[in-house]
Structures are given as structure tokens and as C-alpha cells.
Amino acid sequence: MDATLAALADPTRRRVIDLLRDGPRPAGELAQAVQMSAPALSRHLRVLRAGGLVRAEAGGDDARLRLYSLRQEPFTALQAWLDQVQAFWAERLGSFKDHLETTQEGDRQ
Amino acid sequence: MDATLAALADPTRRRVIDLLRDGPRPAGELAQAVQMSAPALSRHLRVLRAGGLVRAEAGGDDARLRLYSLRQEPFTALQAWLDQVQAFWAERLGSFKDHLETTQEGDRQ
DNA sequence: CAATTGGTTAACGTTACTGTTAATCTTTGA
DNA sequence: TCAAAGATTAACAGTAACGTTAACCAATTG
């Protein structure tokens, strides 16, 4: 959970995740897509790997390539936590709190 | 989205969110709960406010108190993004990819 | 075998974040 | 009015994160 959100906190890493939604891609192609040096992106990929958000497999035809792809587990875990938070508004009492919140004026910043 | 995940990246701030699931609390009480100086937590609360995750209202009886409570909007937005990512595994093709991922051995790192 | 390519790690400077104490402001209460 | 309480901002030191260039390793290709 901690490593997951730490990984997602960076815009570049979220961009990578969005790119991988179209399928696995080699590291170099990702670096080019996000307009960043290969070493810089390599470290981002390391963070994503540490959080379990992506995995790397060897490119079958060319063993130099590292094909990155998405992993489902952390996303599911994060959704579960968000569902718990959302439970705050789910019940009658929560809905009332929400009503108070969204109707009240004079919010100080 | 960026401010939301930046706010959630810190464990202390997530702890605050979990505390607020039980209802609004004044800043001081939160600082005491997370075992941290009031100024330190005040800055965390500022980050949470900037991300729209919490709001502060004046304590009705004692105007010195700042009652913090959860806001739903950013959590819903984050869930929507996660749903998009999860769509990667939703369809038949996605399920197949997942199968490959979870069954394949020899994961490097 | 030598040169190139894809990728990662090392070293470096810069910037941003975190927590503490001190100072500031507003509100409450003696 | 004057002191104390709740909370935030200011100033400061320590640490971690980010991106770049340089060095390095493995695999491919001539």
C-alpha cells in the first residue's frame, strides 16, 4: 500500500501506467514516449517494480529488450482501501455528512 | 489527480484519513493521535486540503478549533482512474494477459 | 572478435519534502 | 486586561527524490 501510492505519486510513472494499458512495451520505447533519458526512466520503472505495479519479462526474440507490463494486484488492493474510505459516505449518516459538506458555504480555503 | 496522489503518498496523511473515517476531528486531536508535533501535522493537513481530500470548518462552540472532515470528490476521481486501469484485465484479452502474468515463472526481480 | 544496441547502475548537483523549535494570530477565560 | 490555549506560519537542518551524464553489462550483428 505504501509502495503502491509512493509509485503512483509521480506523474511520469502514472504516464507509464497509462501507456502500458495498451499492452507491454520495452523500456526504451517508454523512455521515448515520456520524453526522458533512459536512465531516468529506468529508475522510475524500478520504483514501479518495487510497488509491484509492473513486471519485466525478457523480450522473446531479442533478449536485450525488457518488456514491461501491468500487474493487477496493487490496483485491486488500492481499490479495496478506497472502497473502505467511500464507506464513509455510503450509509445514511454518511450521506447526511456529505450533504452538510457540499451545501455549506464559507469554506475556509 | 496529481495533488490527490501526492497527498496520499505519505503514510501519516493516510493515517489521518483513516482517523477521519470516524468523523470530524480538531487538528490538535489528530496531531496527538499520530504522535506528532502540531506544526508538523498542520502542514500535512495543508497538503490534504490542497488535494481537496479534507476540509476544515470552524468549531461551533470554540472558534479556536479547526474541525477537519473528509471530502468525497478526490476519492471518487481516483476510483474512476483505477477503474480505467482495471479495464485492462476486464475483457477476455485482458484476462488472458493476466493469466500469462500470474502463471509465468522466472520473473526477474 | 570488435562494434553497436538496449538497459541498468554509479556519481553528481539540484530541488523538494519532513519534522523540530520559535514566533505569530485569534479566541477563550480568569 | 492579561495569560493561556488551539492552530498556523517562519526559519532551520537533515534527508530523500529527480534528472543528467558517464561508466558498465549483456546480447546482437558485422
Side-chain angles (χ1 to χ4, degrees):
Chain A
M1 188 90 249
D2 203 68
T4 301
L5 283 161
L8 292 176
D10 186 271
T12 299
R13 292 194 284 264
R14 286 199 301 279
R15 184 89 212 294
V16 168
I17 289 174
D18 283 330
L19 287 167
L20 291 180
R21 288 184 50 207
D22 291 335
R25 302 218 180 287
E29 196 171 322
L30 293 170
Q32 185 180 352
V34 302
Q35 206 95 335
M36 193 175 286
S37 68
L41 190 80
S42 184
R43 298 190 72 165
H44 281 300
L45 289 171
R46 177 150 90 175
V47 175
L48 287 170
R49 256 179 342 213
L53 296 150
V54 304
R55 63 188 284 272
E57 56 183 322
D61 52 335
D62 190 339
R64 289 174 300 182
L65 272 57
R66 297 257 290 170
L67 284 175
Y68 280 88
S69 47
L70 290 177
R71 291 203 34 181
Q72 187 169 24
E73 193 182 289
F75 296 99
T76 304
L78 180 52
Q79 278 185 326
W81 181 71
L82 284 176
D83 284 345
Q84 283 189 336
V85 177
Q86 287 277 10
F88 178 75
W89 295 279
E91 307 148 30
R92 262 200 324 123
L93 182 62
S95 301
F96 180 60
K97 287 175 186 165
D98 185 31
H99 171 74
L100 285 180
E101 169 185 325
T102 52
T103 55
Q104 187 145 347
E105 302 289 331
D107 241 277
R108 330 183 148 167
Q109 180 69 301
Chain B
M1 188 90 245
D2 202 69
T4 301
L5 282 162
L8 291 177
D10 185 271
T12 301
R13 292 193 283 263
R14 285 198 302 277
R15 183 92 211 294
V16 168
I17 288 174
D18 283 330
L19 287 167
L20 291 181
R21 288 184 51 206
D22 292 334
R25 302 218 179 288
E29 196 171 321
L30 293 170
Q32 185 180 351
V34 302
Q35 207 96 334
M36 191 175 285
S37 69
L41 190 80
S42 185
R43 296 190 72 164
H44 281 298
L45 289 171
R46 176 150 88 174
V47 175
L48 287 169
R49 256 180 342 216
L53 296 151
V54 305
R55 62 188 285 272
E57 57 182 322
D61 52 334
D62 189 340
R64 289 175 301 182
L65 272 57
R66 295 258 289 170
L67 285 175
Y68 279 88
S69 46
L70 290 177
R71 292 203 37 194
Q72 187 170 23
E73 192 183 288
F75 295 98
T76 304
L78 180 52
Q79 277 186 326
W81 181 72
L82 284 176
D83 285 344
Q84 282 190 337
V85 177
Q86 288 277 11
F88 177 75
W89 294 279
E91 308 148 27
R92 260 199 329 123
L93 182 63
S95 300
F96 180 60
K97 286 176 187 165
D98 186 31
H99 172 73
L100 285 180
E101 169 184 327
T102 54
T103 55
Q104 187 144 349
E105 302 288 331
D107 242 279
R108 327 188 148 165
Q109 177 83 306

